[in-house]
Amino acid sequence: MKGSVGISLIALLALSCSVASAYDPSPLQDFCVGVNDTKLGVFVNGKFCKDPNLVKAEDFFFRIMPGNTDNPLGSQVTQVSVNEFPGLNTLGVSLARIDYAPYGLNPPHTHPRATEVLTVLEGTLMVGFVASNQNDNRLFTKVLNKGEVFIFPFGMIHFQLNVGKDDAVALSSLSSQNPGVITIAKALFGSDPLISPDVLTKAFQVDKNIIAYLQKQQWYDNNV
């Protein structure tokens, strides 16, 4: 397991050099631990920096607890962005732990500001992403086992499904300190206010009753 996590982190570092630098500003100091107190430092990347003389090892430590998968999707994404882990400020990376119940799904979604490296820590996942119109919306999918890694390129719609009979766990590494997430079904059918049914009916080429049904559903958000 240590080897697979190491591979994931190496890939993440490579991505942060080639991708994150174009989006997250490159740091001009060793670190900038985020704080909310405006008296403690300089405003950088949406956060104030903690006085470097007051920074401790604990500022670079975070424990990711297991997520509760008792929900309609059977999965829970525990995000570790700069908002949860101030030590990430200006470093251009973030993490997430994803827990899956048997047959649990992390539904199709996209990260508007990051490429993702997914490492399976436990279980068996079917993962995939859909390329853009430029590449004929090709589906790239693979079944992953413990210790295996898969990359979801920047901005592509992607998903993970636990195809095993046991719980599964994955570690997601992202090339932005605040990658964002857009869950496709929730965004389209649960927007506030709702998208006009005329738009969705024509886009999906289905009856208005189907769109009305979808817009009445409770679209669960598995991100915490």
Side-chain angles (χ1 to χ4, degrees):
M1 183 183 299
K2 290 182 179 179
S4 62
V5 174
I7 292 172
S8 178
L9 293 176
I10 290 170
L12 177 62
L13 289 173
L15 288 168
S16 67
C17 291
S18 61
V19 178
S21 60
Y23 298 91
D24 286 15
S26 298
L28 300 178
Q29 63 285 317
D30 289 345
F31 45 79
C32 171
V33 176
V35 291
N36 294 322
D37 191 336
T38 60
K39 299 177 182 178
L40 294 180
V42 179
F43 195 68
V44 180
N45 285 22
K47 299 285 183 181
F48 280 86
C49 295
K50 187 175 184 178
D51 184 338
N53 294 320
L54 301 178
V55 171
K56 300 178 180 179
E58 285 75 12
D59 291 313
F60 305 104
F61 172 81
F62 192 90
R63 177 177 284 108
I64 311 177
M65 302 303 294
N68 181 7
T69 60
D70 185 16
N71 58 63
L73 293 173
S75 72
Q76 187 73 70
V77 180
T78 304
Q79 300 185 55
V80 187
S81 67
V82 67
N83 294 322
E84 293 80 29
F85 190 3
L88 292 174
N89 193 42
T90 76
L91 299 183
V93 296
S94 59
L95 302 168
R97 173 183 169 131
I98 312 170
D99 290 273
Y100 313 81
Y103 311 110
L105 171 71
N106 190 16
H109 63 282
T110 181
H111 302 291
R113 295 180 289 276
T115 290
E116 177 179 353
V117 182
L118 186 86
T119 304
V120 178
L121 303 181
E122 298 290 344
T124 303
L125 299 177
M126 180 179 71
V127 306
F129 71 88
V130 179
S132 67
N133 297 4
Q134 177 182 345
N135 285 296
D136 300 320
N137 302 121
R138 289 178 61 195
L139 172 64
F140 296 86
T141 184
K142 190 169 180 62
V143 174
L144 305 180
N145 295 299
K146 180 177 178 178
E148 296 182 330
V149 177
F150 198 82
I151 293 178
F152 304 117
F154 193 103
M156 299 293 100
I157 296 173
H158 57 283
F159 60 87
Q160 304 105 41
L161 173 68
N162 182 2
V163 293
K165 297 181 180 179
D166 300 313
D167 292 343
V169 182
L171 176 68
S172 169
S173 306
L174 301 114
S175 62
S176 171
Q177 70 174 39
N178 188 17
V181 61
I182 301 171
T183 304
I184 306 304
K186 184 175 185 289
L188 287 175
F189 302 111
S191 63
D192 184 16
L194 293 174
I195 297 173
S196 167
D198 292 334
V199 173
L200 296 176
T201 298
K202 197 157 191 174
F204 288 93
Q205 301 179 37
V206 296
D207 188 89
K208 278 191 176 181
N209 291 328
I210 295 177
I211 299 300
Y213 171 80
L214 291 171
Q215 289 186 325
K216 289 179 181 179
Q217 302 307 302
Q218 295 294 321
W219 295 100
Y220 182 78
D221 187 354
N222 66 336
N223 290 268
V224 296

